[in-house]
Amino acid sequence: MERIIQQTDYDALSCKLAAISVGYLPSSVLQGFSVDMASKYTQWHRDYLLTLKKFSRRTFGKVDKAMRSSFPVMNYGTYLRTVGIDAAILNFLDGNEQVQVVNFGCGSDLRMLPLLQMFPNLTYVDIDYSDSVELKNNILRESKILRTSLDLPEENAATAPLLIDQKRYKLVACDLNNTTETARLLDTCTDRDIPTVVISECLLCYMHKDEAQLLINTVLERFVHGLWISYDPIGGCQPNDRFGTIMQSNLKESRNLEMPTLMTYNSKEKYASRWSTAPNVTVDDMWEIFNAQIPESERRRLRTLQFLDELEELKVMQTHYVLMKAKW
Ligand SMILES: C[S@@+](CC[C@H](N)C(=O)[O-])C[C@H]1O[C@@H](n2cnc3c(N)ncnc32)[C@H](O)[C@@H]1O
């Protein structure tokens, strides 16, 4: 099961690469920061894919194929997910002098690269299963562009579970179902007193209810101030809504993959209830974010990229994905 869950990262990566190749990403949020950042963003991702080929031709083949067969609705989804999370992070980082980010279930996400360059006082911790971070570590060290941007030596002197142990960036192997080990590693890699952004982007949906709740409770208790940003699908709560059950049976049938809490936290409110001890919790579905947070100029830009005739399909999909922000 662990291996099947790890492979979901290749979907996330191929979706992101597809959205980049058509021009949806980098988002206007990042583009607004510097002209240079947009081209670096594209280059970092391209290089990540090319270097992946050196380590696993099979995975490269899968990612490359999936990337080429991405539909406009999927690109919109990837765009919204990325913009929604980026905007929430940047908003928090802008308001705090010294900040740390912890990305749970980071997979191949390369968000740390622009953020570390944009915020000199930021420290960043990426955490995922051991196999996932090993591959990421290999790629980051092998690619000259990626290595240079992180100021990494090519030779790997670090040892597991801290595969990268830089002052400002750490890449950590950990099974997040093991809360004791997670807490121990957070103690090693982070400072409880520094304002902390926690990201879980399509992670909690693959975890079981109790383990996910323990992880949330541990983090909320541990850091003095923080913002948890979580993005996931929800099953849907209307009587004739079959989105969740269809998604579950498709995943089971095609890859023997489960989303254990998709129908438990099937509405925005239920999804957000897990952070109820945080004083300030907001949750939006991605259709709401599309309509309320993406300016008309940006929507016009998106319309020029690809023709989207499945607007109803986009609405159905995006009302079943949520972005939760819990501030404490
Ligand atoms: C769908 S991918 C998302 C990757 C990344 N967050 C993104 O959105 O691009 C889910 C990631 O969560 C990781 N993951 C799931 N359960 C985990 C666990 N118990 N411990 C550590 N990582 C986990 C997987 O290995 C995978 O990399």
Side-chain angles (χ1 to χ4, degrees):
M1 184 48 80
E2 207 176 292
R3 189 150 180 77
I4 300 173
I5 293 177
Q6 283 161 16
Q7 290 185 350
T8 62
D9 176 44
Y10 306 144
D11 302 321
L13 178 63
S14 52
C15 286
K16 206 170 287 170
L17 290 165
I20 291 170
S21 72
V22 188
Y24 288 84
L25 295 175
S27 71
S28 57
V29 182
L30 270 191
Q31 283 176 348
F33 262 84
S34 83
V35 190
D36 189 34
M37 198 54 82
S39 64
K40 277 188 186 166
Y41 183 91
T42 307
Q43 200 183 23
W44 285 325
H45 285 85
R46 286 218 177 110
D47 220 58
Y48 193 92
L49 178 67
L50 287 178
T51 315
L52 167 68
K53 194 177 183 180
K54 292 191 189 167
F55 291 98
S56 171
R57 282 193 157 263
R58 210 165 149 239
T59 308
F60 168 82
K62 273 195 210 161
V63 171
D64 192 54
K65 189 171 168 219
M67 180 186 126
R68 286 168 203 283
S69 49
S70 174
F71 295 108
V73 263
M74 292 161 74
N75 292 332
Y76 264 80
T78 307
Y79 168 84
L80 284 172
R81 154 186 185 169
T82 308
V83 175
I85 296 173
D86 282 349
I89 300 174
L90 290 174
N91 192 21
F92 190 85
L93 297 192
D94 269 341
N96 286 288
E97 179 57 20
Q98 187 90 43
V99 198
Q100 58 198 355
V101 172
V102 178
N103 189 2
F104 284 141
C106 61
S108 310
D109 185 44
L110 297 181
R111 225 177 226 109
M112 72 291 189
L113 299 173
L115 292 177
L116 285 166
Q117 293 205 352
M118 282 153 59
F119 297 92
N121 293 330
L122 173 70
T123 56
Y124 201 106
V125 183
D126 265 342
I127 305 184
D128 207 298
Y129 279 124
S130 153
D131 287 350
S132 309
V133 291
E134 261 168 39
L135 179 64
K136 189 169 187 172
N137 179 39
N138 286 337
I139 296 173
L140 292 176
R141 287 186 196 269
E142 175 73 17
S143 148
K144 186 157 184 270
I145 293 170
L146 299 171
R147 191 169 70 228
T148 313
S149 79
L150 282 171
D151 219 0
L152 278 180
E154 195 172 346
E155 281 311 304
N156 188 1
T159 49
L162 267 72
L163 297 188
I164 295 179
D165 191 7
Q166 301 275 95
K167 196 157 179 277
R168 295 186 59 214
Y169 177 64
K170 298 188 195 304
L171 180 61
V172 183
C174 179
D175 177 353
L176 295 160
N177 288 315
N178 182 342
T179 320
T180 315
E181 176 67 354
T182 306
R184 189 186 74 76
L185 288 168
L186 286 177
D187 269 348
T188 314
C189 301
T190 61
D191 182 335
R192 287 168 185 248
D193 298 318
I194 294 179
T196 305
V197 178
V198 177
I199 307 167
S200 53
E201 183 179 8
C202 279
L203 162 77
L204 300 178
C205 60
Y206 298 112
M207 292 177 71
H208 285 274
K209 188 176 172 193
D210 292 348
E211 282 79 1
Q213 192 63 59
L214 254 176
L215 180 67
I216 294 169
N217 297 348
T218 304
V219 168
L220 293 187
E221 280 163 19
R222 187 160 224 86
F223 296 106
V224 178
H225 298 294
L227 169 71
W228 190 311
I229 304 166
S230 196
Y231 169 91
D232 269 316
I234 51 169
C237 59
Q238 299 304 322
N240 53 359
D241 187 341
R242 297 189 55 232
F243 186 91
T245 45
I246 292 174
M247 188 173 194
Q248 275 182 327
S249 68
N250 283 350
L251 287 174
K252 185 84 196 155
E253 216 170 276
S254 61
R255 352 178 151 182
N256 200 20
L257 178 63
E258 282 173 16
M259 288 190 173
T261 57
L262 190 72
M263 299 311 293
T264 314
Y265 305 117
N266 62 357
S267 68
K268 288 193 306 181
E269 293 71 25
K270 285 186 195 158
Y271 184 86
S273 67
R274 290 182 277 181
W275 288 267
S276 62
T277 57
N280 183 346
V281 181
T282 58
V283 58
D284 294 293
D285 69 47
M286 301 314 286
W287 183 245
E288 289 169 331
I289 290 193
F290 179 57
N291 287 300
Q293 293 180 24
I294 309 298
E296 184 46 40
S297 57
E298 184 65 354
R299 284 200 246 172
R300 222 176 300 126
R301 183 181 79 80
L302 298 184
R303 282 198 293 271
T304 64
L305 299 175
Q306 274 179 321
F307 178 62
L308 176 80
D309 61 354
E310 316 95 333
L311 202 65
E312 194 49 37
E313 191 186 339
L314 181 69
K315 182 178 171 186
V316 171
M317 274 179 78
Q318 296 309 314
T319 49
H320 289 89
Y321 282 85
V322 294
L323 186 65
M324 187 291 315
K325 292 177 247 173
K327 215 167 172 184
W328 74 98

